[in-house]
Structure formats: C-alpha cells, structure tokens
C-alpha cells in the first residue's frame, strides 16, 4: 500500500479528520488527478468532469476539518481512486 492509498484510507475512514496533514491532503488531491492553482495560502483544485471546486487552506500544518469532509464527499460522490 502506497502513501496515497494510506492517506485515502485515512480520509475515507473519517475518524481522524482533525489530524490530516495539509501536505498529505494536497498530495492525495494531486494523485487523484486534480489540477492545482495557488493564490496566497489558498490551494484551489479542479478536475475535468467534476463540477465542484475545492479551495483548501492550511490551519498550521494541518488541513481544516470541514475541508477534509468536503474532499471525502467528492471522492465518494465521483468514486475516485488513486
């Protein structure tokens, strides 16, 4: 199991949303095929075929809990895999 798979399982499991590293969430989105644009501390992710735009920012070195939930919702809605 690779790094992206471990992060994906952690995000999908949903019990440690407040302990997901921001860098890990960015890495996962990159591996899922999202394109990234950065404006200040806002990392804006888009992907062809997905209507929603993910706009995430770090909280220290961790991802914000509600943003981890948004990413999980997109992964489940579109059945994305690494």
């Amino acid at each position: 199991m690779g790094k992206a798979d471990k992060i994906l399982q952690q995000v999908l499991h949903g019990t440690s949303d407040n302990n997901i590293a921001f860098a890990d969430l960015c890495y996962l989105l990159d591996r899922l095929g999202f394109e990234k644009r950065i404006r200040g501390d806002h990392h804006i992710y888009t992907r062809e075929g997905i209507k929603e735009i993910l706009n995430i920012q770090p909280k220290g070195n961790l991802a914000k809990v509600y943003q981890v939930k948004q990413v999980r919702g997109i992964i489940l809605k579109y059945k994305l895999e690494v």
Side-chain angles (χ1 to χ4, degrees), residues 25-38:
L25 191 61
C26 290
Y27 178 77
L28 176 63
L29 290 170
D30 290 337
R31 291 295 310 267
L32 289 172
F34 283 84
E35 303 217 4
K36 176 170 51 173
R37 206 168 39 104
I38 300 175

Side-chain angles (χ1 to χ4, degrees), residues 46-61:
T46 57
R47 181 175 161 177
E48 189 173 322
I50 295 181
K51 296 177 194 174
E52 295 86 357
I53 296 171
L54 294 168
N55 183 356
I56 62 174
Q57 310 89 37
K59 181 180 179 183
N61 64 347

Side-chain angles (χ1 to χ4, degrees), residues 7-72:
I7 299 167
L8 178 62
Q9 290 305 315
Q10 190 179 15
V11 169
L12 291 178
H13 199 262
T15 57
S16 61
D17 288 352
N18 57 346
N19 291 323
I20 306 278
F22 182 75
D24 287 347
L25 191 61
C26 290
Y27 178 77
L28 176 63
L29 290 170
D30 290 337
R31 291 295 310 267
L32 289 172
F34 283 84
E35 303 217 4
K36 176 170 51 173
R37 206 168 39 104
I38 300 175
R39 291 188 147 284
D41 66 344
H42 291 255
H43 294 241
I44 302 161
Y45 286 90
T46 57
R47 181 175 161 177
E48 189 173 322
I50 295 181
K51 296 177 194 174
E52 295 86 357
I53 296 171
L54 294 168
N55 183 356
I56 62 174
Q57 310 89 37
K59 181 180 179 183
N61 64 347
L62 298 176
K64 294 180 180 180
V65 174
Y66 79 93
Q67 293 170 346
V68 174
K69 291 178 183 178
Q70 285 178 335
V71 170
R72 179 172 44 251

